[in-house]
Amino acid sequence: MRRRREEPGWLHGKPPPLWARIAPVVALVVLVLVQRLTQGEAEVGFFLAGLPPVAAFAYGAAGTAVFAGIVLALLGMPWAGSAHPRGADLATVAAIGLLSVVIAWVRRRRDAQLVSVRTVAEAAQLAVLPPVPERVGPVRCAGLYRAAQRGTLVGGDLYDVRVGPFGVRALVGDVQGHGLAAVGTVAALLGAFREGVLDDPELVGVAARLDRRLLADTAGAGDAAGTAGTAGSGEQPELFATALLLEFPPGLDLVRIVSCGHPPALLLRASTVSEPDVEPGPPLGLGLAGPNLAVVTDVPLLPGDRLLAYTDGVTEARDAAGAFYPLAGRVLALERDPAGLVEAVWQDLLEFTAGGPRDDVALLVLSLPDAP
C-alpha cells in the first residue's frame, strides 16, 4: 500500500539535486573565462563574490569554505583578468565567504534535525495506521491512503483489516476534520476496533464499542476545555465519525455490513457495479449507534466478487466545472488490473481533479478467494 505523497526533496531534509551542486562550479568557470577573454573590457570578476552564498545551499561548511578560498585566490591573481582588488575589497569578499560557511553549517544541522523529526513522525504515523497486508486470513486486500495535509501520512480517514475468532473484520471510517488534528481520534477508533475484533461476537457490538470510545473522548475533551477556561459557554466540543464495518464469517460466502452514516461500499461483480442494500445507521459519537439501532446486512458473495469501500474524499472531489467524481460510473473502466484497482482509481482521481482532491482519501478493496 502506498501512502507517501511525492514532494520536492531539496530544502526538505534530502540532499540537493545534482544541478544545484554543479551550478556554482559552472558559474565559477564561466565568470573566469569571460573575464579572461574580455581582458578588462567587461569587469565581471567581482561577481565571483556572490558564488559562496550560492554554494552554501548545495555544500557543507567545509565545501563552502573551499569554494570561498578559491574565489579569494582567483580575485588575487593577475592572470584571472580582473581589476586588482584592494585590501578592503578582499576583506569584504572574505567576510561574505565566512558568512556563507556559517549558513552552510546551519543548513546542514537543520537538515539533519528535519530528517530526524520526519523519520520519527513517519514511524509514529505508520504505527497508528500500518499498511494493509495483501491477505488477511482468507480475505484478499488492497488499500490506498492519501492524506490531504502535505507532509503527513495519516489524516482524518482510517481503515483496517483484522482477523479474529469471529472472522475477518474490516473498518473504513472518516472522523470529523482532517490533518494532524484528527490523528488522535483515528488512533482511538482503531484501538477500539482492534479490541472489538477479538472480544465482540457481533458486528453491532463493535459499532457500539466505537461509539462509546468517541463519546468518552468527547467528554474528556469537554472536561479539559472547561478546566483550561476555554469553554465559557459550557458546551462540549462536537466529535463524530462515520464508519463502515464489514465482517467475513469463517466458512461462509457472504459479507456482513454495518453502516454508521458512511458512504456505501460498491460491489463489483463481473461487468456490473452495484451498492448493496444496507440500511444506514447514525454516525458514531452521537450516542445513537447502539445494538438496537445498528442494522447488520448479509450480502452473498460469488467467486470473483470484490467490495470497494471508500471515504467521501473520493466521491466529493470535484473537477474544474464543479462536478463530483463519479466513482461508480468509472470504476469498471479502471479495473483492467484487479490488483492495481485502488492505484488506478487514484490516478483517475488526480486527472479528474487536475491535481488531487482537497480532502483525505481512503480506498479499500476486499475479496474472497475464487472457488477452486
Side-chain angles (χ1 to χ4, degrees):
M1 182 196 66
R2 296 180 57 202
R3 282 189 283 151
R4 185 179 302 276
R5 185 187 294 269
E6 298 296 331
E7 296 180 358
W10 194 28
L11 304 183
H12 287 273
K14 297 181 181 179
L18 181 61
W19 65 263
R21 298 192 295 270
I22 295 178
V25 178
V26 172
L28 177 68
V29 174
V30 169
L31 288 175
V32 171
L33 288 177
V34 170
Q35 188 66 56
R36 287 283 295 169
L37 294 175
T38 57
Q39 294 296 329
E41 296 179 5
E43 183 57 48
V44 297
F46 284 103
F47 282 104
L48 293 171
L51 296 182
V54 176
F57 288 95
Y59 297 94
T64 304
V66 171
F67 208 91
I70 294 175
V71 169
L72 281 172
L74 289 175
L75 288 176
M77 291 180 179
W79 62 266
S82 61
H84 296 291
R86 293 172 294 182
D89 297 327
L90 292 177
T92 301
V93 175
I96 294 175
L98 180 60
L99 179 61
S100 301
V101 171
V102 174
I103 292 173
W105 179 80
V106 172
R107 181 189 64 81
R108 277 293 178 89
R109 185 173 181 180
R110 184 213 61 179
D111 286 351
Q113 293 174 340
L114 183 59
V115 169
S116 177
V117 169
R118 288 174 65 91
T119 301
V120 172
E122 290 182 1
Q125 293 178 79
L126 287 174
V128 171
L129 191 62
V132 173
E134 294 182 0
R135 196 180 187 100
V136 178
V139 178
R140 293 184 178 135
C141 312
L144 181 141
Y145 195 107
R146 293 292 186 273
Q149 184 170 337
R150 185 172 293 274
T152 63
L153 302 181
V154 180
D157 289 356
L158 64 147
Y159 57 39
D160 199 5
V161 185
R162 299 278 165 161
V163 62
F166 312 106
V168 176
R169 287 171 171 174
L171 165 68
V172 178
D174 185 359
V175 307
Q176 176 193 20
H178 59 268
L180 292 176
V183 173
T185 305
V186 168
L189 285 176
L190 287 173
F193 170 72
R194 291 161 187 168
E195 292 177 357
V197 168
L198 300 175
D199 298 336
D200 295 319
E202 300 295 334
L203 197 58
V204 291
V206 181
R209 181 186 291 265
L210 298 178
D211 187 57
R212 291 194 303 270
R213 176 71 269 171
L214 277 184
L215 288 174
D217 287 352
T218 300
D223 293 341
T227 302
T230 59
S233 62
E235 296 182 357
Q236 293 184 349
E238 187 179 24
L239 185 63
F240 65 90
T242 64
L244 192 70
L245 292 161
L246 304 98
E247 178 183 89
F248 296 85
L252 299 179
D253 293 331
L254 60 86
V255 59
R256 293 180 176 134
I257 303 177
V258 170
S259 175
C260 299
H262 196 79
L266 297 179
L267 176 60
L268 283 63
R269 173 174 293 169
S271 59
T272 64
V273 177
S274 62
E275 293 183 357
D277 188 12
V278 177
E279 183 177 345
L284 303 171
L286 305 180
L288 301 175
N292 295 329
L293 292 179
V295 178
V296 179
T297 301
D298 289 353
V299 179
L301 295 177
L302 300 178
D305 285 355
R306 283 172 293 158
L307 286 163
L308 173 59
Y310 56 91
T311 56
D312 59 9
V314 178
T315 52
E316 293 183 0
R318 298 172 181 261
D319 62 7
F324 291 108
Y325 179 70
L327 175 62
R330 297 170 75 110
V331 67
L332 282 180
L334 301 172
E335 65 166 346
R336 294 180 295 271
D337 178 13
L341 177 59
V342 291
E343 187 66 33
V345 172
W346 172 250
Q347 293 300 325
D348 188 57
L349 191 59
L350 287 178
E351 296 178 6
F352 182 83
T353 58
R358 298 182 180 180
D359 197 1
D360 302 321
V361 166
L363 294 164
L364 184 63
V365 176
L366 305 170
S367 63
L368 290 173
D370 296 339

